[in-house]
Amino acid sequence: MPEIVCTIGPVSCDGPTFIEMTRAGMTMARFNLSHNVLEWHRTAMREAKTAGIPVYVDIPGRKPRPWSTHRDDEAVAFALECGAEWFGFSYAETPEEVAEFKRMVPKTVAKIETELGLRNVYEIAGVADALLLDRTDMAASIGYWRLPEAQRLTILRGKARGKPVYVASDILHSMIYAPEPSAAEVMDAWSAIEQGATGLVLAGETAIGRYPVKAVWTLSAILATATQRREV
């Protein structure tokens, strides 16, 4: 079954909601340290660990990076103290910078968000523990009309290296406000799994949305259908 990574925010940071989201299909909890104070994240990560959910942390680096800043170093130290296992490296563009970051953390998720990162994705996948395609940032870099090919290539190159590949941004965006996804969103999520994505990342849907648990249930149902089709 493909993975569902859920971004944790004000609507999903309490223990009961963690449990419901886990039952619905959440397999990893994502924390973006660019938002909220660190003590909020500490408490929320504790809830995730109590629920037995792996913790993935995005480090709030500069745009574009050279790695690393003092703030990055502090964020990594904080997340390690809280028991995070996976660390997102934003704007990954070369295997050398990913390798440098990897020495500091248990597992590295290289975030592919620029044209240069896409060009070097095969080499980056050889160093990172996983890839994550941020479609919003990638579209800003290369244009929306090239995004389908960028997604296909990222998944293809990552799988060729034997690495997990996650797809993020606007997965079920409608469900931030509505109880059901659009037909286009259902097809998009289904297609990403058909292409070979390891999992999908919910952002605002579970961080600030009105229906965080239902969003996870919905995506889980979509992915189950896609998986059945892929196994036929």
Side-chain angles (χ1 to χ4, degrees), residues 161-197:
R161 288 286 198 177
K163 301 299 175 66
V165 183
Y166 300 91
V167 175
S169 301
D170 299 329
I171 302 298
L172 299 179
H173 185 78
S174 297
M175 293 195 72
I176 295 177
Y177 310 104
E180 302 291 341
S182 69
E185 288 166 341
V186 173
M187 290 297 298
D188 175 47
W190 194 91
S191 297
I193 299 306
E194 274 282 286
Q195 290 177 331

Side-chain angles (χ1 to χ4, degrees), residues 2 6 19 22 42 56 80 82-83 89 100 104 109-110 112 130 133 137 154 186 206 210 220:
C6 297
I19 293 171
T22 302
R42 187 192 303 277
Y56 161 64
L80 287 171
C82 293
F89 182 78
E100 182 180 351
M104 301 180 62
V109 180
I112 308 302
L133 174 66
D137 287 326
T154 301
V186 173
T206 53
R210 296 178 182 174
S220 183

Side-chain angles (χ1 to χ4, degrees), residues 3-50:
E3 298 179 33
I4 300 177
V5 182
C6 297
T7 303
I8 306 303
V11 304
S12 55
C13 60
D14 61 279
T17 302
F18 263 114
I19 293 171
E20 288 187 64
M21 289 170 61
T22 302
R23 289 173 177 166
M26 174 173 68
T27 58
M28 187 181 298
R30 171 182 176 260
F31 293 84
N32 186 344
L33 297 189
S34 295
H35 304 296
N36 289 311
V37 298
L38 292 183
E39 286 308 310
W40 181 92
H41 285 286
R42 187 192 303 277
T43 301
M45 285 187 209
R46 187 179 303 124
E47 294 288 356
K49 301 296 285 186
T50 299

